[in-house]
Amino acid sequence: MYSRTPKIQAKLVELEALSRDELMARAHISRREDPGYVPSECLLYFVRASREHEPDAASEQFYRILLARVLRCLPKAENTDGSGVSLTRSNIREKVLFQFVELLAADRRSYSERLDFFEVRFDGALANLKRDAKRPTWRDEKRSVALELDEETGEPSVEIERAAGSFDPFAAMENASAAYQSRLDAAIEALPTEHKRVIEMLRQGFPIDSKEPGAITISGTLKRSEKTIRTYRDKAFSSLRAMLSEGDEP
């Protein structure tokens, strides 16, 4: 058993007396200094409370807002000088988000005490995830090697795809459940800006690159190399796979 701080416990009593619409409006407040701000400890409480019923629009909104808050607390992947994205910071963001979503997914299936600390000290618990993510990130980078691409298509070889495990979040979307589509939209919204732009253009059918004169491509539109766009795509797919692991299958 765990005990919330008196301040958080009192805030929960106040929030539970609100209507669903009032609570949702306050959950969208992002400034901590705002008197109407909902502490992340409380927001997580409402996300966990939805375990008792099927996901609805409100629970999906709480989930999306909570993931957005986690991402705001993580180091930005983009370099401040506009020179691109830091691989180290991008990997840390990905690992922390993956771990947090895994905790939510486990708790969704059955109560998991590992999330309790987040309801007591959300910032402290998130700081622990960030600290734990830094060491394996540096280790992974030291032993990473370039992948050989197919000379004709520019895509990873069949062997590499099989080893890595293919994942297409848009597969069979026509037959996907409403819950899956809603969760996919929320997951895409939570991606880093560059990754989200790539996914949105892929979703609209734009090619990463093309030899056709005048063709609109993702690489050309975002002014990034083909290799960089493929890296963004792969990292985005990895993040989406982690975030969608909690939700319904298509």
Side-chain angles (χ1 to χ4, degrees):
M1 299 297 293
Y2 62 98
S3 299
R4 301 183 183 90
T5 64
K7 180 179 178 180
I8 293 299
Q9 189 61 49
K11 181 64 69 172
L12 272 178
V13 173
E14 172 193 340
L15 295 172
E16 287 194 305
L18 301 177
S19 69
R20 203 64 164 173
D21 290 342
E22 290 174 320
L23 178 59
M24 185 61 67
R26 289 186 55 173
H28 277 94
I29 298 174
S30 58
R31 291 181 61 254
R32 297 193 183 204
E33 300 80 9
D34 192 303
Y37 179 79
V38 176
S40 295
E41 291 86 351
C42 298
L43 186 57
L44 176 60
Y45 165 81
F46 289 110
V47 170
R48 299 182 82 184
S50 67
R51 180 176 61 238
E52 306 301 327
H53 55 77
E54 287 298 315
D56 56 15
S59 62
E60 291 293 341
Q61 280 289 312
F62 288 138
Y63 179 84
R64 180 182 302 193
I65 295 169
L66 185 61
L67 289 186
R69 285 192 182 184
V70 170
L71 286 172
R72 283 200 300 271
C73 292
L74 300 178
K76 293 185 179 297
E78 296 82 3
N79 294 324
T80 56
D81 60 4
S83 60
V85 173
S86 163
L87 180 60
T88 298
R89 293 196 299 272
S90 179
N91 284 339
I92 291 174
R93 286 172 67 88
E94 183 178 314
K95 288 179 182 296
V96 172
L97 184 63
F98 178 83
Q99 288 294 323
F100 186 70
V101 171
E102 281 284 287
L103 290 174
L104 288 177
D107 190 72
R108 178 74 186 177
R109 291 188 292 269
S110 177
Y111 163 75
S112 173
E113 64 180 15
R114 295 181 64 193
L115 270 178
D116 292 350
F117 184 28
F118 285 84
E119 280 201 51
V120 178
R121 298 287 184 186
F122 191 90
D123 290 343
L126 190 59
N128 287 343
L129 288 187
K130 287 189 285 187
R131 184 196 62 229
D132 293 343
K134 290 179 180 179
R135 287 192 292 270
T137 294
W138 285 109
R139 186 175 63 247
D140 290 347
E141 287 186 5
K142 287 181 179 179
R143 66 188 183 192
S144 64
V145 296
L147 298 179
E148 293 186 2
L149 304 181
D150 184 280
E151 293 183 359
E152 294 184 2
T153 65
E155 296 286 351
S157 66
V158 174
E159 291 75 15
I160 291 174
E161 290 284 5
R162 287 175 179 170
S166 60
F167 173 73
D168 181 0
F170 307 123
M173 276 297 292
E174 291 184 2
N175 300 317
S177 66
Y180 175 84
Q181 294 186 44
S182 177
R183 191 166 293 280
L184 175 59
D185 290 339
I188 292 174
E189 187 64 28
L191 291 172
T193 302
E194 293 278 9
H195 296 183
K196 181 167 63 174
R197 288 173 180 168
V198 170
I199 292 302
E200 288 173 343
M201 293 192 72
L202 284 173
R203 196 175 193 178
Q204 296 175 46
F206 289 103
I208 291 178
D209 199 13
S210 175
K211 295 181 180 180
E212 294 293 327
I216 299 177
T217 66
I218 302 176
S219 178
T221 301
L222 300 183
K223 301 186 185 325
R224 295 285 188 272
S225 69
E226 178 183 354
K227 181 179 179 180
T228 297
I229 295 299
R230 294 186 189 282
T231 298
Y232 288 169
R233 177 200 61 186
D234 294 344
K235 286 186 173 295
F237 277 8
S238 177
S239 296
L240 291 176
R241 176 168 48 194
M243 288 187 278
L244 292 170
S245 64
E246 178 187 352
D248 298 335
E249 292 296 325

